[in-house]
Amino acid sequence: MTGAVEALISNKKWYVVTTYSGYEAKVKSALQERIRQQKMEEKFGEILIPAETVTDTKDGKQRVKTKTSFPGYVFVEMEMSEHTWHLVKDTPKVTGFVG
């Protein structure tokens, strides 16, 4: 198969990874670094932290903040295998997969 056809036939699916609450960004960075070190970029897609932008007014001043929608969760698009599972599961501050 050519590279273009292989790109269309992807086995990547979305998985929900549980983390320590408040460490979602650190987990995302650590995962990206571990994926790069293991040269497994083709096995992974996006890594998302579900968040929303919130406008808060305090003392008459408006502040825009990014608030995590689901604290303690990170969404990872990946091809599931024993090696990719261990790469994610053995990342510091990751407690497991949902389901």
Side-chain angles (χ1 to χ4, degrees), residues 23-40:
Y23 287 91
E24 299 86 3
K26 288 186 186 238
V27 166
K28 180 179 177 178
S29 304
L31 260 175
Q32 290 170 330
E33 181 62 22
R34 288 171 56 89
I35 291 165
R36 188 189 62 74
Q37 287 174 349
Q38 298 285 324
K39 298 181 180 13
M40 295 187 68

Side-chain angles (χ1 to χ4, degrees), residues 4-85:
V5 174
E6 288 176 9
L8 293 174
I9 305 170
S10 174
N11 292 326
K12 292 181 188 134
K13 294 183 181 174
W14 285 99
Y15 297 92
V16 180
V17 176
T18 56
T19 68
Y20 292 171
S21 186
Y23 287 91
E24 299 86 3
K26 288 186 186 238
V27 166
K28 180 179 177 178
S29 304
L31 260 175
Q32 290 170 330
E33 181 62 22
R34 288 171 56 89
I35 291 165
R36 188 189 62 74
Q37 287 174 349
Q38 298 285 324
K39 298 181 180 13
M40 295 187 68
E41 293 89 350
E42 73 282 350
K43 301 282 186 189
F44 288 84
E46 294 183 77
I47 300 172
L48 301 176
I49 301 169
E52 60 184 333
T53 305
V54 178
T55 305
D56 190 20
T57 305
K58 187 174 182 180
D59 299 329
K61 297 178 184 176
Q62 282 193 344
R63 297 179 184 159
V64 178
K65 294 182 180 180
T66 302
K67 179 181 175 188
T68 306
S69 301
F70 301 104
Y73 294 96
V74 175
F75 298 159
V76 180
E77 184 183 25
M78 63 186 243
E79 290 181 24
M80 183 60 79
S81 70
E82 188 173 338
H83 194 72
T84 57
W85 184 87

